[in-house]
Amino acid sequence: MSKWKRRRLLFMAEVHERRGTDPSDVLAGLHELAAEDPYDLEVLLTAAELLADRADRRTGTAREADLAASIALLQRCVPLVPPGHYDRGRVFNSLGQRLFTVAQGTDSPEPVAESVLAFREAVAATPHGDNMRQVNQFYLVVQLGEHFERSRDRDAPVEAVQVAREGYAIVPPSDGLRPMFRTALITSLRHLAGATAHVEPLQEAVGLAREALSEASSTSDRAGAQFDLVRALRALHDATTDTRLLVEAVDLSEQCLAATPRRDPEFNRRRTRLASAVRLLAQDRRDPDLMRRAIDLMRATIETPSAADEHADTLIDLTQSLASLHAMTNDQLALRDAELTARTAVAAAPDPGPRRTEAQFALATILLYRSSVDARGTDAVALHEALGLFQHVAAATPPDHRERGDRLWQLGVTLRDLARHDDSDTAALQRQARHVFAEAASAAGPPNVRIKNFQHLGAMEAALGDPHAALAAYEAAVALLPQLTPNWLSYMGNIIELRQIEGLPDGAAAAALELGRPERALELLELSRGILHGRTLEARDLRLLRHRSPQLHAELLRLRTALNARAREGNDGNWDNLMSRIRSLEGMAGFLRAPSVQALRRHADQGPVVIVNITERRCDALILRADAKQPVLPVPLTRLTQADVIAHLLRLTRAVFAAPNDPSLLTRRDAQRDLDEILRWLWDRVTAPVLDALSLTAPSSDTQPPPRIWWCPVGLMAYFPLHAAGHHDSGGKATVMDRAVSSYTTTVRALAGRFSPPATGTTLDTLVVAVPDAENAPSLPGAAAEAEALTELLPNALVLSGAQATFENVVRALPAYPVAHFSCHGLTFWENPAAGTLLLHDHLTRPLTVEQLSAMELPYADLAYLSACSTSNTHPDNADEALHITGAFQLAGYRRVIGTLWPVNDTTSVEITRATYADLTHGGSTPPRTELSAQALHRAVRALRDRYPASPSLWAGYVHVGH
């Protein structure tokens, strides 16, 4: 072909590219030229760019073919531009952009990784001072961010931050690329925080975003800066759980949206960001009105024309928000709308593509959820449709996809639920579920996902009659628990994560008991329960490791973060290797190991610890004793079933929460009878067999002090007053409280360190907090009466009453007083245990919550007496974690806590308080002997029982926790 024709083809190619017209004829000529001279760089580059330009105007397979052909031509160009060649930067810039375009249509990390390599070469090939260097740097930063989000490669954000800082420092303030670089740097810092679990990059990101906002001159620039600041605040909130950051993010999002014209291309994106922030705040506060606000914003976005993939994203978010609203309010219309929205999302998402898969997953999840909450029973039709959708999703999810384990888990749960309600094919469905759970558990993924897959695998193996395989699966699940990241999840995040493994402790113990291994059952219970309490013990290990080997300490934090962040390098082999190296250090052999039964039995020196475990397959009590030969005595509870426990729990809830407030005397009388019958049932089915096994077969005498016993109920058993079980009309012959002094503990390990006295030099002075008239709450005259009684018995006490009982005063005083007494209202929230609150004088503006109490460190704290309602009540899925007000005081460091299982009577609370402290202080003549607090409470409650045996709600709800 002549040079003239070559020049003409290149000129026509430029014309087509500018006009956006069909270049087919020119492409044919360029391909002919390339065939004649395969080293003609200009022809190859021109053809590649024409193909890419045409791909932007096409869809489907035609678009994919043009992109593939463009990339192939660019790859042919690479050998023609060795280092130092003038066009090397241009070739790699074009190749990087084409690869990134391909990546938008797939979840695979490979095209993005290749794009990163291309832009690295483009940056290296562009000399300093050339404006294209900053352009290539910007693209490299963006692609490194995308690479991190897909692969969780922790090195990517480190490089991205370095490149972004260099580019940002060089670009002049007047250059339009500068704000883009700053935004990219802010994003890279957020990614760096996610990779390292450090909060400092997020603080820097917020600082940069505030700087951008202060420099913004125009309304549009200010709105853009507000948008960047919102994203940075959101990330910092997620790391610190500081709700004030989230509130600021919502406020800024509102301002940003108000300043953005509706015709602005960014309007929908900013409205979506506002909806996301409002939704998160609604979930944080469990506020249905805020959730409705988020839903309204999402609906408005959907009504606005937008790209199909963006439309599908918003529909998926709306689906999840509607499901959350249903979970908060039981609004059936919200659940119906969630399903309809999910179906619309499936129809709107491009097919094939990752958004179609995500929409199918959202619909399947809603169908599975709908079936689980259907008041009429499991909806088999919904389950079958969900099964088909989950199977499609599983087939479309690559083996290395970060969500594969979670998606397979949902598929396995669907098969399991179908097996429970399909009599014709139960075994086949169970085998399918077992296969799915096994695959998901063995796949690379974060520990929380693998744990729940191993847990469900264990349940399937047990159902299929293989106890050895069941125990192996449960043990694998429990072994992964130390890998969970404890310190960068929010408190609510920990709660949500721990709810995912509800049922793991009791299932694992039952599997060991099936094989006649009670000691192993107890060890598994200790490993898998009270995880938040166990973090206190773990912190000691971590401090010791940091002292012994800062390098291994840093490596542990990095690997744990990588595992939880779904990074590819995080795996069991790396974890096991690191544990071996740490445990080889002097004095570190027990690092992050649960203590053996022989070590645990030392905590039973002062009395047995009774673990009550309830499962669908079997019910048992495990009695831990100081006996070295047989430390664990199993007691099969053959007359108890899980269904019976659930039925009696519902009855108990009605009796102690609803009936006391009923205006009908008959209803209140029936509630007392129900509670009395529950105490009898507890005695017959649970506590009598235990006491018989301990040879506690007769009431204690006046001359012989009653023995101590610690109850450690698992799961739903934590709601029952085991200490008050019995036939209280039997003259003391058949009740727990007439044979032993009872205390409770979350785990055996929770008793560790609680026998030591406060540090030398501290005194047992008492802080008394009394709030008789909290705003927006019923009056509590008993609070003032308790304060008055305690002032007489404890002359050195600091009394904060009424307006003095503020958040600031209480929090300032707690570290200085080993004994703390609270007489006020207590509020618990099942769906958000972190928000459980003791109502102080200023509770409306500064509530003293479970989350705040749990974060305190009070090493000299001794006794907390909580004369408030329902301080030991929490969501059933969190029962094993004691996520309630009583448990919060334990986490703060109190060795012993007196709390309540349900709402208590104001008048009798005063009586029990006065009697308990009079006992502890010898009538006010000595400081309180806190080591006798269990016995003092026991005597006070039993005296009230003797006067009102037919009204157990008055006395059975008081519990002693700890030593």
Side-chain angles (χ1 to χ4, degrees), residues 620-700:
D620 301 87
L622 297 174
I623 303 176
L624 178 67
R625 305 174 300 174
D627 187 343
K629 293 183 178 179
Q630 190 183 7
V632 180
L633 178 64
V635 180
L637 302 176
T638 56
R639 299 178 60 198
L640 188 67
T641 67
Q642 187 184 68
D644 204 16
V645 169
I646 293 171
H648 279 79
L649 177 57
L650 294 173
R651 191 179 181 189
L652 174 70
T653 302
R654 288 193 298 267
V656 298
F657 286 97
N661 298 315
D662 196 286
S664 167
L665 177 62
L666 182 62
T667 301
R668 296 198 300 273
R669 187 190 65 186
D670 289 344
Q672 297 293 351
R673 288 179 177 175
D674 283 346
L675 187 51
D676 180 68
E677 290 179 12
I678 290 169
L679 297 182
R680 294 169 183 268
W681 165 80
L682 275 176
W683 171 264
D684 295 338
R685 306 295 175 87
V686 182
T687 60
V690 169
L691 296 185
D692 287 346
L694 290 169
S695 300
L696 298 177
T697 57
S700 58

Side-chain angles (χ1 to χ4, degrees), residues 102-133:
V102 169
Q104 302 312 296
T106 175
D107 285 340
S108 174
E110 278 74 17
V112 180
E114 293 175 16
S115 177
V116 166
L117 294 174
F119 279 115
R120 279 196 191 121
E121 292 292 343
V123 170
T126 312
H128 291 277
D130 189 326
N131 289 339
M132 277 304 297
R133 179 177 177 83

